[in-house]
């Protein structure tokens, strides 16, 4: 049972925002590390790289001009995003340069909303806009004075003296709660800050940046030790990362890979879920639709087909409905039948999805786009 006074304490802004602060901080910290542990993220040639994602986002994003400008330097942009997320996460969790971290979180989430989530309809199904709003709430609310090491508290979060300006969080709280203000009055006086608030903020931001860089620099070492995530981890799971058992290898059929073919998935990955999504690499030759999202489906007879996942109605990305074994567009409910060449079964789409030529290399278990197909 929570008492009234406990409930009042929980309702103070800093405490009430604590669950968001912890969740956002931990999530951004992990998101940054996860990107650096994924060998595919910074590799422009990988189908799941940031580069490939940006090419796909540029089709629908209002920032397509900006995306075009940064495409030549996506590894740098990706590294900055990853280190930035690490810094934002650490700042939110620790309180170091808290509002700088919260502002960074809001800006980055807004950027992701305008790119990665822009094609998501309705808007509330995308995650980035709620993140941006949550970061803005943390930016406004601040860290409070209880969850930040005393050395890192900014002057505005130091305990307010009796009679201090009433437009601060602590001033308002003191005004409503005379007993607590009297308690505060008995505390030792606040430390005299030698540095100006601006200087302290710059120093804290620089310290946060340095800590973030140190944390990020651990990623290459972890990857060297085999700690990988994303596509790299999946490749490892599929046997790409370590030699297999030392028993005699099974006889494999000869490779059937045509020249120029581009690996986009594996038989194992598609078979386990009935389909697999991929991005046509940005450097794929015509007639392949470079940068488009694609989907591979295993048909009832066990064969594989691939389609451009851009809906022929208004360009949203179609998804595989595993239960009904149909391709479904979340924007206006178009339905495509993978078993019959992605023919339109329902909805406003005027034509079937475009087929993509693939080959299945039984020797390696890979599924490849075949530009010559
Ligand atoms: S964009 Fe797919 S149905 Fe409208």
């Amino acid at each position: 049972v929570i008492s009234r006074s406990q409930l009042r304490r929980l309702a103070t802004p800093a405490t009430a925002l604590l669950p968001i602060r912890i969740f956002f901080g931990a999530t951004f910290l992990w998101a940054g590390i996860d990107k650096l542990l994924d060998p595919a993220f910074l590799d422009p040639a990988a189908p799941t790289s940031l580069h490939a994602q940006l090419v796909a986002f540029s089709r629908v994003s209002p920032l397509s001009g900006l995306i075009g400008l940064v495409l030549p330097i996506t590894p740098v942009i990706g590294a900055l995003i990853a280190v930035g997320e690490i810094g934002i996460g650490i700042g939110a969790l620790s309180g170091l340069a808290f509002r700088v971290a919260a502002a960074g979180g809001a800006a980055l989430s807004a950027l992701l909303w305008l790119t990665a989530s822009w094609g998501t309809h309705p808007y509330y199904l995308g995650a980035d806009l709620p993140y941006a709003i949550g970061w803005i709430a943390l930016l406004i609310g601040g860290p409070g004075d209880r969850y930040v090491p005393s050395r890192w508290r900014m002057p505005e979060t130091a305990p307010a003296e009796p009679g201090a300006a009433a437009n601060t969080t602590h001033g308002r709280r003191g005004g409503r709660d005379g007993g607590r203000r009297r308690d505060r009055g008995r505390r030792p006086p606040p430390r005299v800050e030698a540095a100006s608030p601006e200087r302290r903020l710059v120093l804290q931001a620089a310290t946060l940046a340095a800590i973030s860089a140190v944390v990020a620099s651990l990623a290459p070492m972890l990857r060297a030790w085999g700690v990988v995530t994303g596509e790299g981890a999946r490749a490892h799971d599929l046997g790409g990362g370590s030699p297999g058992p030392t028993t005699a290898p099974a006889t494999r059929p000869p490779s059937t890979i045509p020249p120029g073919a581009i690996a986009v998935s594996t038989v194992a990955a598609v078979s386990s879920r009935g389909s697999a999504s991929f991005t046509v690499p940005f450097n794929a030759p015509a007639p392949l639709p470079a940068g488009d999202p694609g989907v591979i489906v295993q048909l009832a007879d066990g064969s594989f087909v691939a389609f451009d996942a851009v809906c022929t109605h208004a360009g949203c990305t179609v998804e595989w409905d595993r239960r009904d074994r149909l391709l479904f567009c979340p924007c206006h409910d178009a339905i495509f039948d993978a078993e019959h060449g992605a023919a339109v079964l329902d909805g406003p789409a005027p034509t079937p999805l475009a087929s993509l030529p693939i080959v299945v290399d039984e020797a390696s278990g890979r599924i490849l786009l075949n530009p010559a197909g």
Side-chain angles (χ1 to χ4, degrees):
V1 180
I2 299 177
S3 70
R4 234 173 232 280
S5 62
Q6 284 174 321
L7 198 58
R8 216 167 21 240
R9 271 201 298 280
L10 286 174
T12 58
T15 308
L17 289 174
L18 200 56
I20 302 178
R21 178 178 158 188
I22 293 172
F23 179 76
F24 279 25
T27 299
F28 268 61
L29 175 57
W30 170 241
I33 294 172
D34 188 32
K35 287 179 175 63
L36 295 176
L37 291 180
D38 179 359
F41 182 70
L42 298 179
D43 177 3
T48 56
S49 67
L50 174 65
H51 192 125
Q53 292 175 44
L54 287 178
V55 170
F57 298 158
S58 67
R59 294 178 153 273
V60 293
S61 169
L63 302 183
S64 57
L66 180 65
I67 292 174
L69 286 178
V70 302
L71 276 180
I73 54 167
T74 47
V76 177
I77 298 296
L80 286 175
I81 290 174
V83 177
E85 286 179 335
I86 290 172
I88 291 165
I90 293 174
L93 290 172
S94 68
L96 181 62
F98 182 87
R99 281 197 161 95
V100 173
L108 186 55
S109 299
L111 203 59
L112 292 172
W113 169 54
L114 292 168
T115 50
S117 296
W118 193 256
T120 304
H121 300 281
Y123 73 93
Y124 50 77
L125 293 180
D128 296 308
L129 184 57
Y131 270 109
I133 302 299
W135 280 118
I136 290 171
L138 291 175
L139 178 62
I140 295 169
D145 61 356
R146 294 183 195 161
Y147 315 109
V148 180
S150 57
R151 288 182 61 81
W152 293 351
R153 286 178 199 159
M154 296 299 291
E156 65 175 346
T157 62
E161 290 183 81
N167 64 345
T168 66
T169 302
H170 307 297
R172 283 198 299 274
R173 195 165 57 199
R176 284 199 300 267
D177 186 342
R180 184 175 301 168
R181 195 165 67 176
R182 280 195 297 280
D183 286 343
R184 287 171 182 274
R186 285 200 291 274
R187 289 182 184 176
R191 288 178 291 111
V192 176
E193 303 298 342
S196 68
E198 293 77 15
R199 186 154 183 270
R200 282 171 59 85
L201 189 62
V202 170
L203 287 175
Q204 286 199 10
T207 306
L208 182 59
I211 293 173
S212 309
V214 169
V215 173
S217 68
L218 299 176
M221 272 186 282
L222 291 172
R223 275 172 52 180
W225 290 338
V227 182
V228 291
T229 62
E231 285 301 302
R234 281 189 276 283
H236 193 273
D237 291 345
L238 291 167
S242 63
T246 54
T247 52
T251 306
R252 286 179 163 176
S255 174
T256 54
I257 302 176
I262 304 164
V264 288
S265 192
T266 64
V267 170
V270 180
S271 297
S272 65
R273 297 188 294 267
S275 81
S277 300
F278 63 95
T279 301
V280 181
F282 73 97
N283 56 354
L288 294 177
D292 272 15
V295 59
I296 299 174
V297 175
Q298 185 168 30
L299 302 179
D301 64 4
S303 62
F304 297 89
V305 289
F307 302 102
D308 189 321
V310 175
C311 179
T312 54
H313 176 229
C316 293
T317 301
V318 301
E319 297 162 6
W320 173 244
D321 184 322
R322 189 173 180 173
R323 194 190 61 181
D324 294 332
R325 297 190 52 77
L326 294 167
L327 290 159
F328 168 77
C329 178
C331 291
H332 313 101
D333 299 338
I335 297 174
F336 303 88
D337 182 2
E339 294 283 347
H340 297 94
V344 181
L345 291 182
D346 200 3
T351 57
L353 299 174
S355 286
L356 295 177
I358 55 171
V359 291
V360 179
D361 179 42
E362 295 189 7
S364 63
R366 292 184 299 169
I367 300 177
L368 308 97
L369 289 173
N370 181 14

